[in-house]
Amino acid sequence: GTYDHAIFDSVRGALKRLRANQTNAEGTDTTTLTSFNTNGFSTGSDDVTNRNSSTYAAWAWDAGSSTVTNNDGSIASQVRANPSAGFSIVTYTGNNTAGASVGHGLNAAVEFLIVKSRDQSGQYWHVWHSSLANNEYIYLNVSNAKTSGNDFLNGTAPGSSVFTLGSGNACNKSGDSVVAYCFAPVEGYSAIGSYTGNGSADG
């Protein structure tokens, strides 16, 4: 069968599912991912995560052991961060104010950022990468080329403590619950980059 890609995290909770290839709002699923454990995770009987005889791939990042309130930005956020691995999970409530900022807890400049409204169906996943201009972004769930506008990050590159938001419905609608996955490179552990293809067999 063909099933949507499912994203779960320990800040939103194990039963809270988002679909990486869709624009659906967050849903509560009691039979997909049922818990995060010290040695992995547990699944229910749903075909999305545990169909009989099917093979699955899971990508897992350790964001640390505790979720804390972060007040580095003008919007308070809930953050679970692992600076030594360059990864954090952030949730916040939008205020539709251009220039509002959100703390990410990594103590290093974020170079890869994925953001999605949890409440709205029909809103794309917004993605920024350090190879893009500050006012450019791409979408995770469709194959569009990059687009430009200040509605996502207000034309401001993420810093070592916060990322900045534009106004609008996608990632900063007033009252909306939003999740962000933040990545920063760590020397000797991880790197974030880009490349330009040359169309050659030895590219």
Side-chain angles (χ1 to χ4, degrees), residues 14-35:
L15 304 182
K16 301 297 184 180
R17 175 188 175 194
L18 285 167
R19 304 164 191 253
N21 57 309
Q22 302 288 350
T23 61
N24 302 52
E26 178 183 276
T28 300
D29 291 347
T30 60
T31 59
T32 47
L33 189 81
T34 57
S35 67

Side-chain angles (χ1 to χ4, degrees), residues 9-63:
D9 66 67
S10 54
V11 176
R12 294 182 299 115
L15 304 182
K16 301 297 184 180
R17 175 188 175 194
L18 285 167
R19 304 164 191 253
N21 57 309
Q22 302 288 350
T23 61
N24 302 52
E26 178 183 276
T28 300
D29 291 347
T30 60
T31 59
T32 47
L33 189 81
T34 57
S35 67
F36 291 103
N37 310 321
T38 56
N39 61 347
F41 55 87
S42 297
T43 67
S45 58
D46 195 285
D47 285 351
V48 171
T49 54
N50 195 16
R51 186 180 185 220
N52 186 36
S53 299
S54 289
T55 301
Y56 292 85
W59 291 266
W61 287 270
D62 181 1

Side-chain angles (χ1 to χ4, degrees), residues 81-163:
N82 186 349
S84 63
F87 175 63
S88 69
I89 305 164
V90 178
T91 61
Y92 63 91
T93 301
N95 65 8
N96 199 31
T97 300
S101 57
V102 179
H104 55 68
L106 288 180
N107 303 317
V110 170
E111 294 193 11
F112 185 47
L113 177 65
I114 305 172
V115 182
K116 174 71 170 75
S117 169
R118 301 166 60 187
D119 292 336
Q120 291 190 73
S121 182
Q123 287 294 339
Y124 287 2
W125 291 78
H126 281 56
V127 178
W128 183 83
H129 183 275
S130 55
S131 66
L132 299 172
N134 296 343
N135 68 336
E136 294 178 335
Y137 53 90
I138 57 177
Y139 297 122
L140 182 67
N141 55 289
V142 292
S143 58
N144 300 38
K146 66 182 180 182
T147 188
S148 61
N150 290 331
D151 53 318
F152 180 22
L153 296 178
N154 204 45
T156 306
S160 60
S161 60
V162 301
F163 57 89

